[in-house]
Amino acid sequence: MTPTPALRRSAARTLLRLWPLIRPVRVHMITAVCAAVFATGASLTIPLVLKWMVDGPVSTGDLAGVWAGGAVLLLMGGAEAVLAGLRRWVLARPLARVEASFRALLHARLQRVPMAFHDRWSSGQLLSRVTSDLNQIRMFLSFPLMYLVVNGTTILGGYAILLAQRWTLGMVLLAPVVPLLVLCAVFESRYLVASLRAQDQSGDLATAVEESVLGIRIIKGFGRQRHQIDTLVGLAGRIRDTELDKARQLAVVRAASALLPELALGAALVIGVAQVAGGDLSAGTLVAFLTTALALRWPVESIGSLLAMGNEAAAATQRCFEVLDEPEEGEREPKPTAVTTTRTGPGELVFEGVEFRYPDALAGSPPVLRGVDLRVRAGETVAVVGATGCGKTTLTALVTRMHDPTGGRILLDGVDITDMPRERLRTEVAVAFEEATLFATTVADNVLLGGDGLGEADMWSALEVAQAAAFVAALPQGARTEVGERGSRLSGGQRQRLALSRAIIARPRYLVLDDFLSALDIRTEVLVEAALHDVLADTTALVIAHRPSTVLLADRVALLSGGRIAAVGTHRQLLRENTEYADLMGSGPQLRGGGDDR
Amino acid sequence: MTSRTTTGQATDRPRRAAPEQAAASTLADDQEAPFDQDRLPTPPGSSRALLASLLRPHSRRLWASALLVLLQQGAVQSGPLLVVVAIDTAVPALRGGDPVPLLSVAVAYLLTAVLAGGAQYAFVRQSGRVSQDVLLGLRTRIFRQLQDLSVDFHDRYTSGRVISRSTADVENLRGLVHNGLQDLVEIALSTLYISAVLLYLDWQLGVAALASTPVLVRLVRSLQRRSMRAYRRKSTATASVVVKLAETLNGIRTVRAFRRERANDAAFDVVNRRHELASGDASLEMTRYIVFSRLVADTAVAVLMLWSAYRVATGMLELGVLAGAVLYLRRLYDPIDRLGMLLNSYQAAAASLEKIAGLLLQRPGVPPPATPVELPVPRGPGPGRALVVEAASFAYRTGGEVLPRTDLALRPGSTVAVVGATGAGKSTLAKLLARFHDPTTGRVLLDGIDLRDLTDADLRRAVVIVAQEPFLFSGTVSDNIEIGRPGATREQVVRAAEAVGAHAFITALPDGYDTDLRARGGRISAGQRQLVSFARVLLADPAVLILDEATGSLDLPGERAVQYAMRTALHGRTAVVIAHRLSTAETADRVLVMADGRIVEDGAPADLVAAGGRFADMYRAWNESLR
Ligand SMILES: Nc1ncnc2c1ncn2[C@@H]1O[C@H](COP(=O)(O)OP(=O)(O)OP(=O)(O)O)[C@@H](O)[C@H]1O
Ligand SMILES: Nc1ncnc2c1ncn2[C@@H]1O[C@H](COP(=O)(O)OP(=O)(O)OP(=O)(O)O)[C@@H](O)[C@H]1O
Ligand SMILES: [Mg+2]
Ligand SMILES: [Mg+2]
C-alpha cells in the first residue's frame, strides 16, 4: 500500500539526496577513505619489505640490516593496524549519529504531516523505513561506498599502469569494460526496482504482523489462526521470491564480472606469450604486467556486490524520502484578528455552512457534510445526534483541524480556526475520541498528557469527575500502574473514563466529546454526568451521543441528518416533534408495550 | 431523575481486598516480569541451537554450495599457476616452434575462467535460495508461535516487539546466511591451504606461525563476547524504536489533538540515542578486534622473520626455502579481517536469534489439549449448546482476583444479557467462556465438555465472540466479513451484510464490497465497523455467540436491526450479550447483573424489574432518559 512514486531516479541521484545528512560527517568520511588507502598501501608494502629482507640482509648475513628490516616490519604492521582501526573508528560513532538523526527527522516529520497521509500509509511501511531502510543506508555508508571509491580508483590506476606498461595488451584487458558497463547499467535499473519491491514487501509484512497481533482476539475468536499464518507466510514468501529474483540478477553480474576479465586476461596471456616468444616483449615485462592484472582481479570482481549494495541503499533512500518529501501540515499566516491574547472563560463555537468531503470518496457522491450551520453559545453544551455513519465524528475532527473543511468555516470566538496556529487551537479545544486511545504507560502519564504543567492534584480531580478515582486508586500501583498496550489491562469503561479525564484535566475552553460514555453502565454514566455538570458549566461543549441518557447532559440537541443540521431543540422537544429523532433515541421501552408516551 | 441523586459509592471494586490477594498479586507480578522484557528467558546456547535447527533441513544444499565455493576458488587459484606454466614452458616451446603448450594453456585458461564464472553464478543462486528458505522457515515458525500464544501474552509483549522480531531481527540473520557460508569456506580454505604449504616448506616455521593461534582465538572470543553484548542492546533498542513509533502512529489523532509531538520527539530521542550508542559500540568492538588482531599478526610476521633470519645465518634454514615461505607467511594472516566480519555478522544474528528463540520457547498460556475430546452434536432441539461455568475463579496475572468463584449454567438456545457496573468483570467472564483465558480454578463446560479438552477448531466452530473493541484488518470489506467463514461466496457475504443492515453503506463505498477499509477500518465510522464485525458472526454461524458490547456504538435502529438478525438468522443459538443499553437487556430471556465479579442478580428481565433490585434501578433510570 505504498503510493508508487511517480518519478524514478537513478540510484546515484537518489543516493546524492543523502548529502545534507552526510555533510556533517564529511571530514570523517574523507579521513576514513584516506586511512583505507594508506592501510592498503601499508599492507602492500609489507610483502615488499619481506622480499627485500630475504634478498638483502638475510642473504648477505647483514645482522644490522635484519634488525632494521624487522623494525620496519613492525612499524609497517603497526601502521597498518592503526590505519585499519582508524578507518573504522573514525566512522563508528558519526555514522550511527547520521542514522539516528535521519531517524529523528523521519519521526518528527511523521508526527507533523497531514492526517490524510496516515490514512494512506500503513504503519508497517513507515516502521520498516525507520528501521531496516535506515540500517541499510548506514551499512552502505560505512563500507560499500568507501570501497566503491577505493576500488574504483584502484581499477582506474591499475589500468593506467597496465596501459603504460604495454598498451596493446592493456587494450585487450580493457575490452570487457564496455559489455560490463552495459551489464551494470541494466543491472542497476532492474536491481533497484527489485530492491524497492523487496523493501515494500517487507513493509507490508510488518503491517500484517502488527495486525495479526492487534487483532489477535478476532483471529482467535473465529479460530482463524491457520488462515492468518497462511497469509503471513504468503507475504513472507513474496519477499523470498523477490529476493530470489535479486539473487538471480546478482548472480549474472557477479559471474560476468568474474568471467569476462578472466577471459581478457587469458587472451592477454596468450598474446603476451606469443610476443615474448617472438622477442617483441621481455618475459619480465610480461610477468610484471600479469601480476598487476591479477592484483586487479578482486577490485573488479567486487564491483558487482558493491553495486548491489548501492542499489539497495538507493532503494532505502528513496523510500525514506517518500516520507520526507511529504510537506508538514502548513499554517496560514495568522491574521491580525487571530493574534488576540488568549481569552479565558468559555467562548462561542460556530459552524458556518461547513462542507466536508473525504478526498477518496466516490466521485459524484454527495459530501459527508454539506452545509452544517450550528451555533454553540459560550458555556453551552450541545449534543449532536445522528444515525450511524452520518458524519458526527467527521464534524468533530474538523474542530481540531484533523481535517480542514472543504467549504464553509468554523469559528471560535469569531475567529476562523484556519487562521489560528494549530498549536493554540488544540490548546483551547480538548477532545475525547470515540475510541479511547491510551498509550502503553502509566495511568498518570495517560491522563496528564491532557495539558501542560499539571500535577497530581489536577489528575485526581479529573479522575474524580470521570468516576475513575476509585478504580485507579485500587489498581496495584495506583496511578503508577502501567495500562498495557492500548490500555489492554483495563476494562472498556475504565479506558473511556481515563480518556475523559484526559480531556477535562486542563479545563479547556472548548470540549469535544465523541460518544464518550458508550462503554459505561447507566449508573456510572449518571454519576459522571452529574460531576461533569460543573465542568461543563464554564466550557463550551460539543457532545456526540447515541443514548438518550447521554443527551440529557446537553442544554440543546442538534440532529445531524443528510449532512446538515436538520433540527435543533431540547431533548424532550425533539423527542416529541421530530420522528427521525424519536426513532434514533428509541421509541420507548418494549417491556411496557412500547411507545405509550409519544 | 431519582437515581441521579443516589450517589453510588465506588463503581469499581477495590482489587486488593484481602491480604492473601495482595500476596497472590505479587506472586503474579513475579511470574509476569519476563513478559515485559524484550529478552525472554532462554537456556544458554539457544541461539546456536535455533540456527542449527534452521540450517539442518538444508544441509545437503549447504554442502553443495560449499562445494561450489571450493570449485570456484580452485578455478580462480589456478589462474596464476597457468601464468607460470605459460611463461616457463609455453614460451620456450613456442620459440621452438611448438604451439601446443600455448594452445593448451589457452584452452585451460578458458576452461578455468568459465568454471570460475559458472561456479560463481551457481553459488550465488544456490546460496540465495538456501538463505531465503532459511529466513522463510524462521518467519514461518515465528508466525505459528504468535498465533499459538495467548491473548494474555500479546497484551504484554506488545505488537511493536513482535514486528521487530519478525522483521529487523530476521533481517539480521540475513546478513549471516547470505554471505556467511562463502566467507567461512574461503577463510577455512585459505587457512588450511597456506598452513599446509608453510608446513611443507618449513615445518618449524609453520608450527611457529600456528603458535600465534591461541592469542588470536582469545581476541576472537573477546570480540564475540563483547559484540554480543552490544548487539543485544542494539536489538532491544530497535524493538523500542518500533514500539514507540508504532504507538505514535496508532494513536496519531490523540498525539495531535493533545500536542504531544514535541514530548514524543523527546521520548523518541531517548530510544533513538540508545540505538545509536549500541550501534556505535558494535562498530567499535569490531575496530578493537581489527587493530589488535592485525597487531598480533604483524608482530608474529616480524618475529618469525627475525627468527628465520637467525636460522638462515646459523645455517639451519636454506635461504631458498625462506624466500618461498616468507610470502605465504604473510598471507596466512590475510583472512583475519574477514573472520572478524564473519563473526560480527554472526554475533548480530545470534543476538537476534536469542530473542527470537525466547519468543519461540514461550509455552502458550492457553494450551491445546493433550487428548482432545470430540464435541458431540448439539443435544438440544436447536443448534444452541449448553454452557456451564463450574466453580470457576479468575485472576489476571497483573492483578488480584477479578472473578471470585462463579457458578453459572446457560441453557442451550437461551439469550442471556449480562449487565453491571463498568469494571465488574463482564468482559472477563466473556473471555473465559470463549477460552481467551483459562479459569484459575474450576472449569467451563460446553455441552458437558471442558473447554480445555476441545480442539481449537471445534471450540471456535461452536463458540464465537465479538470482542468489546471491534477490530478490522486492512483489506476489503468482504475480506473482513469473510473472517467469519473463509472462502464464503460473495453472495453469502452480501446476505450477512444485509441481515445486519450494513449492505446500504457498503454499496455506497467507492468500490462497494471491494473497498479497502485501511488500517483498523479507518475508512468507515465506528458504528459501521461494529456492523461489519457483526456480519462476521452471521457468516460464522456458531452454536454459541458472545457479544461484548457489540452494538455500543450503533444508533438504536441499527441496534434493533442487529437484534432482529440475532432472532432470525441466529435463532436458537445460545447467546451471551453484554450491553449497557437496556434496550438490549430487556429482550433477553434472562439477565445477569454483575458487581465486583459476582453475579448478584439473575432472572427474567420482567421479574428482576418487579423484584426491585439493581436491575430495577437501572431500568428506571433508563426509562427516565427516554421521556
Ligand atoms: N477516513 C475516511 N475516508 C473516507 N470516508 C470516511 C472516512 N471516515 C469516515 N468516512 C465515511 O464518512 C461517513 C461519516 O463517518 P463518521 O465517522 O463521521 O460517522 P459517525 O456519524 O461518527 O458515525 P458513528 O455513529 O458510527 O460513529 C461514513 O459514511 C464513513 O463511511
Ligand atoms: N488484561 C488485564 N490485566 C489485568 N487486569 C485486567 C485486565 N483486563 C481487565 N482487568 C481488570 O479486571 C477488571 C474487570 O474487567 P472487565 O474488562 O471484565 O470489566 P467489564 O465488566 O467488562 O467492564 P466494562 O463494562 O468497563 O467493559 C477491571 O478492574 C480491569 O481493570
Ligand atoms: Mg463516530
Ligand atoms: Mg468490558
Side-chain angles (χ1 to χ4, degrees), chain A residues 80 93 100 111-113 119 132 211 220 224 240 297 360 388 423 440 485 495 497 521 572 589, chain B residues 76 133 147 159 171 247 256 262 265 272 281 298 422 460 469 474 483-484 518 555 623 627:
Chain A
E80 184 197 19
R93 297 253 178 249
Q111 290 195 92
R112 292 170 178 85
V113 291
D119 282 349
S132 72
E211 289 196 333
K220 287 204 182 258
R224 295 292 168 257
R240 174 183 174 274
R297 199 145 77 172
D360 53 355
T388 292
E423 176 100 29
E485 187 174 28
R495 279 198 292 275
R497 281 176 288 162
D521 61 293
R572 272 161 237 277
Chain B
V76 168
D133 284 349
Q147 297 299 318
S159 60
E171 274 154 30
E247 180 159 63
R256 290 287 177 77
R262 251 167 292 171
D265 282 341
N272 196 16
D281 285 350
D298 289 331
T422 124
R460 301 303 168 196
E469 311 77 27
S474 49
I483 287 177
R518 295 204 292 250
D555 55 12
N623 272 342
R627 222 164 281 141

Side-chain angles (χ1 to χ4, degrees), chain B residues 34-370:
Chain B
F35 274 15
D36 282 344
Q37 290 166 5
D38 192 55
R39 201 175 135 207
L40 298 168
T42 48
S46 54
S47 57
R48 210 170 324 131
L50 178 57
L51 183 61
S53 76
L54 286 169
L55 293 179
R56 208 169 299 124
H58 307 289
S59 59
R60 282 178 54 185
R61 292 198 290 166
L62 282 169
W63 282 113
S65 313
L67 212 65
L68 284 171
V69 178
L70 285 178
L71 212 61
Q72 187 246 0
Q73 282 298 309
V76 168
Q77 297 304 339
S78 58
L81 226 65
L82 286 172
V83 172
V84 175
V85 173
I87 291 173
D88 289 357
T89 39
V91 171
L94 201 60
R95 282 198 180 126
D98 176 13
V100 176
L102 180 59
L103 282 180
S104 24
V105 164
V107 170
Y109 214 102
L110 184 72
L111 283 180
T112 57
V114 170
L115 190 63
Q120 179 72 276
Y121 178 84
F123 170 77
V124 174
R125 292 207 55 180
Q126 172 80 337
S127 80
R129 222 169 298 139
V130 174
S131 55
Q132 286 304 318
D133 284 349
V134 166
L135 297 188
L136 186 64
L138 179 59
R139 284 200 162 114
T140 307
R141 279 199 218 179
I142 297 177
F143 298 151
R144 289 227 179 91
Q145 174 74 350
L146 289 181
Q147 297 299 318
D148 280 350
L149 287 171
S150 65
V151 170
D152 195 36
F153 174 86
H154 286 296
D155 280 351
R156 258 159 271 259
Y157 197 63
T158 74
S159 60
R161 287 217 183 96
V162 169
I163 295 175
S164 191
R165 290 296 98 88
S166 44
T167 58
D169 282 326
V170 172
E171 274 154 30
N172 277 341
L173 180 60
R174 193 190 123 158
L176 180 67
V177 290
H178 258 252
N179 304 320
L181 182 66
Q182 186 168 13
D183 286 343
L184 189 66
V185 173
E186 289 185 15
I187 292 168
L189 193 65
S190 143
T191 312
L192 283 179
Y193 171 67
I194 293 177
S195 317
V197 170
L198 266 181
L199 285 170
Y200 167 75
L201 287 176
D202 173 14
W203 70 267
Q204 288 174 319
L205 184 63
V207 170
L210 292 179
S212 60
T213 318
V215 186
L216 289 176
V217 166
R218 289 206 35 197
L219 280 174
V220 161
R221 277 281 151 77
S222 134
L223 167 71
Q224 282 190 301
R225 210 177 40 245
R226 298 175 57 127
S227 72
M228 183 72 172
R229 254 178 275 154
Y231 279 117
R232 269 184 196 144
R233 273 186 289 125
K234 187 173 167 185
S235 151
T236 303
T238 305
S240 325
V241 162
V242 173
V243 168
K244 265 251 143 15
L245 183 61
E247 180 159 63
T248 301
L249 293 176
N250 282 328
I252 188 73
R253 274 170 177 269
T254 309
V255 167
R256 290 287 177 77
F258 290 98
R259 301 165 286 117
R260 302 310 294 165
E261 293 94 340
R262 251 167 292 171
N264 271 350
D265 282 341
F268 188 75
D269 265 355
V270 174
V271 289
N272 196 16
R273 174 95 187 122
R274 217 177 291 149
H275 185 271
E276 178 191 334
L277 277 179
S279 170
D281 285 350
S283 308
L284 286 178
E285 287 310 333
M286 187 59 192
T287 309
R288 220 176 77 99
Y289 165 82
I290 293 284
V291 171
F292 284 112
S293 62
R294 271 278 143 227
L295 276 179
V296 169
D298 289 331
T299 314
V301 169
V303 170
L304 290 174
M305 191 61 201
L306 289 177
W307 179 57
S308 303
Y310 166 78
R311 288 202 302 155
V312 170
T314 54
M316 286 190 289
L317 184 65
E318 272 178 56
L319 186 63
V321 175
L322 178 62
V326 77
L327 288 182
Y328 283 102
L329 182 60
R330 161 77 184 169
R331 278 179 58 197
L332 179 62
Y333 298 103
D334 270 353
I336 283 185
D337 290 16
R338 266 183 95 177
L339 179 64
M341 297 204 291
L342 175 64
L343 287 174
N344 198 40
S345 51
Y346 176 76
Q347 292 313 325
S352 289
L353 279 175
E354 188 179 56
K355 302 248 168 84
I356 295 174
L359 181 64
L360 294 180
L361 284 174
Q362 285 291 315
R363 290 288 115 239
V366 180

Side-chain angles (χ1 to χ4, degrees), chain A residues 467-492:
Chain A
Q467 305 300 307
F471 94 77
V472 169
L475 287 172
Q477 282 95 42
R480 301 270 152 246
T481 310
E482 296 275 338
V483 300
E485 187 174 28
R486 322 187 99 212
S488 61
R489 289 181 208 172
L490 300 176
S491 85

Side-chain angles (χ1 to χ4, degrees), chain B residues 378 380-387 410-416 447 543-545 566 570-576 588-589:
Chain B
R385 290 179 185 274
L387 259 184
L410 306 182
R411 266 188 304 108
S414 62
T415 300
V416 179
D447 269 356
V544 178
L545 73 151
M566 274 179 62
L570 294 175
H571 180 75
R573 272 66 173 183
T574 313
V576 177
D589 301 324

Side-chain angles (χ1 to χ4, degrees), chain A residues 276-595:
Chain A
V276 171
D280 298 337
L281 190 68
S282 77
T285 315
L286 179 61
V287 170
F289 181 88
L290 290 175
T291 314
T292 317
L294 282 173
L296 285 182
R297 199 145 77 172
W298 181 73
V300 172
E301 248 194 72
S302 69
I303 292 290
S305 306
L306 293 178
L307 277 184
M309 289 187 256
N311 278 308
E312 283 171 0
T317 308
Q318 175 165 339
R319 280 165 48 83
C320 291
F321 275 100
E322 279 164 18
V323 172
L324 283 183
D325 286 342
E326 185 78 22
E328 290 188 3
E329 237 171 13
E331 297 282 8
R332 211 191 280 176
E333 275 299 304
K335 285 202 186 145
T337 47
V339 236
T340 48
T341 49
T342 22
R343 302 188 202 178
T344 49
E348 197 181 39
L349 168 63
V350 179
F351 296 85
E352 252 179 36
V354 170
E355 250 182 56
F356 183 76
R357 167 185 197 97
Y358 280 101
D360 53 355
L362 189 61
S365 65
V368 178
L369 303 176
R370 45 203 109 126
V372 171
D373 290 300
L374 180 65
R375 176 178 298 268
V376 185
R377 297 186 207 109
E380 191 185 29
T381 300
V382 169
V384 175
V385 171
T388 292
C390 72
K392 303 180 293 296
T393 300
T394 308
L395 189 69
T396 61
L398 299 183
V399 180
T400 45
R401 289 191 69 193
M402 294 296 159
H403 300 282
D404 281 334
T406 44
R409 41 185 212 149
I410 301 173
L411 307 165
L412 286 193
D413 280 336
V415 179
D416 189 336
I417 57 170
T418 54
D419 288 334
M420 274 188 207
R422 283 192 179 75
E423 176 100 29
R424 208 189 105 205
L425 172 69
R426 290 170 186 169
T427 317
E428 306 239 310
V429 184
V431 284
F433 295 109
E434 56 195 338
E435 261 150 45
T437 325
L438 297 190
F439 296 110
T441 167
T442 61
V443 170
D445 288 345
N446 266 298
V447 174
L448 287 172
L449 71 77
D452 310 314
L454 298 165
E456 287 268 306
D458 303 292
M459 179 186 77
W460 285 108
S461 69
L463 288 174
E464 211 68 67
V465 170
Q467 305 300 307
F471 94 77
V472 169
L475 287 172
Q477 282 95 42
R480 301 270 152 246
T481 310
E482 296 275 338
V483 300
E485 187 174 28
R486 322 187 99 212
S488 61
R489 289 181 208 172
L490 300 176
S491 85
Q494 291 170 339
R495 279 198 292 275
Q496 224 170 29
R497 281 176 288 162
L498 291 192
L500 174 62
S501 315
R502 172 160 77 198
I504 57 175
I505 186 169
R507 295 280 163 149
R509 301 179 59 217
Y510 301 90
L511 199 53
V512 174
L513 305 172
D514 189 358
D515 204 15
F516 68 112
L517 296 173
S518 64
L520 298 192
D521 61 293
I522 298 209
R523 273 165 50 117
T524 313
E525 183 182 11
V526 167
L527 296 175
V528 171
E529 284 175 9
L532 258 185
H533 261 297
D534 290 343
V535 176
L536 292 180
D538 46 27
T539 302
T540 307
L542 192 67
V543 176
I544 309 295
H546 273 307
R547 287 196 257 174
S549 44
T550 318
V551 171
L552 287 176
L553 190 68
D555 303 310
R556 288 190 302 153
V557 187
L559 175 66
L560 183 63
S561 172
R564 291 198 176 77
I565 300 295
V568 182
T570 65
H571 173 55
R572 272 161 237 277
Q573 201 182 341
L574 289 183
L575 210 52
R576 268 194 310 278
E577 294 164 5
N578 191 308
T579 48
E580 187 183 350
Y581 184 78
D583 246 16
L584 281 173
M585 287 290 118
S587 48
Q590 287 160 21
L591 265 187
R592 283 183 296 141

